[in-house]
């Protein structure tokens, strides 16, 4: 028979393997932060969530259809310097809150499914994130504590204050305007997992600090965007420095699609996603391509393997909701599907292809931002023939193409965005560079591309 915990109560764990599961009526994600006595992760590998489902001693297991995932914890496998494992619930809908639903219940079971503890998380209202409970060490043994701390500071603030790294090194805008852009100093990238699943964020803490809990202090009020499951883009008072070339791209006019030949877009130009005759496009493909520059050396010419990655970030206004990229090839709703990763840029035509079913994109999604990042830190000065092209998914005919001329000293590029204007979708060519090696570093810098006509 399981024990019922109240907020703040704890209980001993007499088994070596436990499973943390949820009972809740709202669509939500379960994640875990593995922290030291200081309340910080050691590296980003200590953040376990749906894009990085395994950590040291902790595995995220998908739930049955319509149910949240669970966390399987092998306590003997948890590294000795990890003091606490914090289980976090994040609502899927960044604009919603727990007050709209029945209180969630966190359950701790043994490996055979026998319930050990239950905790009904009452008292939540405007929060969209809650640190449900934590497993923690005491005198050589493990215990469980009911935390139930709702959090309104945003998912980015939560994981950042727990030590999950995002790139905050872009040069100030004033310096960018005073002199030609220079490459940012190469830094050791955050300890994101290997190519198959970077952490996002990717990707602060409760308003109280229980004795010995190690929670970081709460954020300033200006740092409280709704939770989105990934770091939100920066805004005034967000705590992120202004990204390089912070001025938004200036539109270069709007043109129409042509059935006779592809439209050649210039930077900033927009095109309405309607065919000639007025029929709206429903299924489109975004192809992105590049070639590595061949360099001449002492022993002849050589080509450096440049691993560029295409990603699509889905925004509801200013709030990041989802990302399709090499670690998650489909958006959660299935409307955006990434066709796989190209590690070198070799080959003709599109290096990476992303399919977008415009009819399936949820109504609250307002912008799809297509970005390219350089996983190994090569800049676009080492890339040639970079382009993105829009394809009619029904006929496979190319509709529009945007080609980048000349290299830039950046490791990331915002290539294009597709966004709603009333009942229509439009595409805008961007071609704006910034510094990021993977989507986790890119997301905090994308706010400047979300403006409207």
């Amino acid at each position: 028979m399981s024990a019922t915990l109240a907020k703040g109560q704890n209980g001993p764990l007499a088994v070596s393997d436990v499973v943390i599961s949820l009972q809740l009526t709202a669509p939500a994600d379960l994640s875990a932060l593995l922290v030291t006595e200081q309340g910080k992760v050691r590296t980003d590998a200590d953040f376990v969530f749906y894009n990085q489902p395994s950590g040291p001693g902790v595995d995220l297991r998908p739930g049955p259809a319509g149910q949240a995932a669970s966390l399987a914890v092998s306590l003997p496998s948890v590294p000795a310097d990890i003091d606490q494992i914090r289980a976090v619930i994040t609502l899927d809908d960044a604009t919603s809150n727990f007050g709209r639903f029945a209180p969630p219940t966190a359950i701790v079971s043994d490996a055979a499914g026998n319930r050990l503890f239950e905790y009904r998380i009452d008292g939540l209202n405007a929060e969209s994130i809650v640190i449900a409970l934590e497993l923690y060490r005491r005198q050589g043994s493990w215990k469980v504590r009911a935390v139930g701390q709702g959090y309104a500071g945003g998912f980015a603030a939560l994981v950042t204050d727990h030590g999950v790294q995002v790139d905050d090194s872009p040069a100030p805008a004033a310096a960018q305007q005073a002199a030609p852009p220079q490459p940012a100093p190469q830094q050791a990238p955050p300890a994101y997992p290997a190519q198959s699943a970077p952490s996002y964020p990717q990707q602060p803490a409760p308003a109280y600090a229980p004795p010995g809990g190690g929670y970081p202090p709460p954020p300033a009020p200006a740092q409280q965007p709704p939770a989105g499951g990934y770091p939100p883009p920066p805004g005034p008072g967000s705590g992120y420095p202004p990204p390089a070339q912070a001025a938004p791209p200036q539109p270069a006019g709007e043109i129409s699609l042509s059935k006779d030949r592809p439209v050649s877009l210039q930077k900033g130009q927009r095109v309405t996603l309607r065919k000639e005759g007025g029929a709206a496009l429903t299924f489109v493909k975004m192809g992105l391509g590049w070639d590595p520059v061949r360099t001449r050396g002492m022993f002849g010419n050589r080509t450096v393997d440049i691993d560029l990655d295409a990603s699509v970030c889905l925004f509801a206004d200013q709030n990041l909701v989802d990302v399709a990229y090499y670690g998650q090839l489909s958006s959660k709703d299935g409307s955006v599907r990434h066709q796989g990763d190209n590690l070198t840029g070799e080959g003709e035509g599109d290096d990476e292809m992303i399919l977008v079913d415009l009819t399936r994109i949820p109504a609250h999604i307002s912008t799809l931002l297509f970005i390219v990042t350089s996983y190994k830190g090569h800049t676009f000065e080492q890339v040639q023939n970079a382009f993105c092209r829009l394809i009619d998914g029904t006929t496979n005919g190319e509709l529009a193409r945007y080609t980048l001329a000349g290299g830039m000293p950046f490791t990331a590029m915002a290539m294009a965005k597709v966004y709603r204007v009333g009942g229509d979708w439009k595409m805008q060519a961007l071609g704006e560079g910034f510094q990021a090696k993977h989507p986790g570093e890119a997301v905090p810098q994308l706010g400047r591309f979300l403006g409207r006509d």
Side-chain angles (χ1 to χ4, degrees):
M1 182 174 178
S2 63
T4 300
L5 297 176
K7 186 172 182 176
Q9 285 187 328
N10 60 63
L13 291 173
V15 297
S16 59
D17 296 288
V18 298
V19 176
I20 300 171
S21 58
L22 303 174
Q23 286 182 348
L24 73 174
T25 57
D29 290 314
L30 181 62
S31 58
L33 289 158
L34 287 69
V35 300
T36 64
E37 289 183 354
Q38 290 72 41
K40 302 286 187 178
V41 299
R42 302 165 307 169
T43 73
D44 289 1
D46 292 338
F47 176 32
V48 177
F49 71 128
Y50 59 83
N51 277 347
Q52 182 171 268
S54 294
V58 181
D59 289 299
L60 186 65
R61 296 176 176 174
Q67 298 185 30
S70 60
L71 290 166
V73 183
S74 174
L75 296 173
S77 300
V78 176
D81 52 348
I82 293 297
D83 187 65
Q84 302 164 26
I85 301 169
R86 295 175 180 166
V88 180
I89 308 172
T90 306
L91 291 178
D92 279 359
D93 185 352
T95 64
S96 187
N97 59 67
F98 284 105
R100 301 180 182 180
F101 307 95
T105 297
I107 301 163
V108 179
S109 306
D110 64 18
N114 301 307
R115 294 192 178 189
L116 307 175
F117 297 96
E118 296 185 17
Y119 171 40
R120 177 185 167 96
I121 311 173
D122 292 309
L124 299 176
N125 187 13
E127 304 90 343
S128 56
I129 299 173
V130 61
I131 299 178
L133 50 80
E134 64 185 12
L135 311 181
Y136 65 103
R137 298 183 192 266
R138 279 297 180 270
Q139 300 177 345
S141 299
W142 284 92
K143 303 182 75 172
V144 58
R145 176 188 289 127
V147 178
Q149 179 57 53
Y151 190 77
F155 198 74
L158 173 70
V159 298
T160 300
D161 274 10
H162 280 79
V164 178
Q165 296 297 308
V166 294
D167 184 21
D168 59 358
S169 61
Q176 291 291 326
Q177 295 168 358
Q182 299 297 319
Q186 291 300 317
Q187 302 180 4
Y192 283 82
Q195 178 76 342
S196 59
S199 157
Y200 235 86
Q202 74 3 16
Q203 39 84 319
Y208 85 117
Y215 288 113
Q223 204 170 2
Q224 296 186 353
Y230 289 86
S238 68
Y240 291 106
Q245 293 189 342
Q250 295 300 313
E254 184 167 323
I255 56 180
S256 300
L257 293 175
S258 170
K259 66 181 179 181
D260 298 324
R261 63 185 182 278
V263 171
S264 181
L265 293 174
Q266 299 177 15
K267 183 175 179 178
Q269 270 188 328
R270 301 180 300 270
V271 58
T272 300
L273 301 192
R274 286 184 174 272
K275 302 178 185 180
E276 282 186 337
L281 289 166
T282 58
F283 178 43
V284 298
K285 303 177 183 179
M286 182 68 77
L288 298 104
W290 56 85
D291 293 315
V293 173
R294 295 186 63 85
T295 59
R296 184 182 300 274
M298 183 179 298
F299 301 103
N301 295 339
R302 69 184 183 94
T303 300
V304 177
D305 287 344
I306 297 179
D307 182 6
L308 299 186
D309 301 305
S311 307
V312 184
C313 301
L314 289 75
F315 286 88
D317 296 324
Q318 297 288 316
N319 300 314
L320 183 66
V321 175
D322 204 353
V323 176
Y325 71 116
Y326 55 79
Q328 177 182 275
L329 294 179
S330 176
S331 61
K332 290 182 181 180
D333 54 60
S335 62
V336 179
R337 288 176 290 143
H338 194 301
Q339 297 299 286
D341 189 18
N342 183 319
L343 300 179
T344 65
E346 293 290 349
E348 298 296 325
D350 303 309
D351 291 307
E352 296 192 12
M353 178 75 73
I354 297 169
L355 314 183
V356 180
D357 186 344
L358 296 172
T359 65
R360 294 182 61 187
I361 295 177
H364 66 289
I365 300 297
S366 53
T367 303
L368 308 180
L369 193 57
F370 294 79
I371 66 173
V372 178
T373 50
S374 178
Y375 190 78
K376 297 179 181 178
H378 297 102
T379 71
F380 278 79
E381 295 166 310
Q382 298 168 278
V383 176
Q384 61 185 2
N385 302 326
F387 68 88
C388 65
R389 66 189 191 114
L390 183 72
I391 303 158
D392 186 334
T394 303
T395 65
N396 281 324
E398 181 176 318
L399 302 173
R401 178 182 286 256
Y402 172 53
T403 301
L404 289 176
M408 297 187 223
F410 301 108
T411 57
M413 192 73 61
M415 295 292 289
K417 68 178 179 181
V418 172
Y419 59 103
R420 294 185 197 266
V421 177
D424 282 333
W425 287 97
K426 292 186 179 183
M427 172 186 163
Q428 182 174 357
L430 296 175
E432 292 286 330
F434 55 100
Q435 303 296 350
K437 296 178 184 177
H438 50 73
E441 293 180 343
V443 165
Q445 306 180 61
L446 300 183
R448 59 189 169 116
F449 304 116
L450 300 177
R452 290 288 178 265
D453 292 342

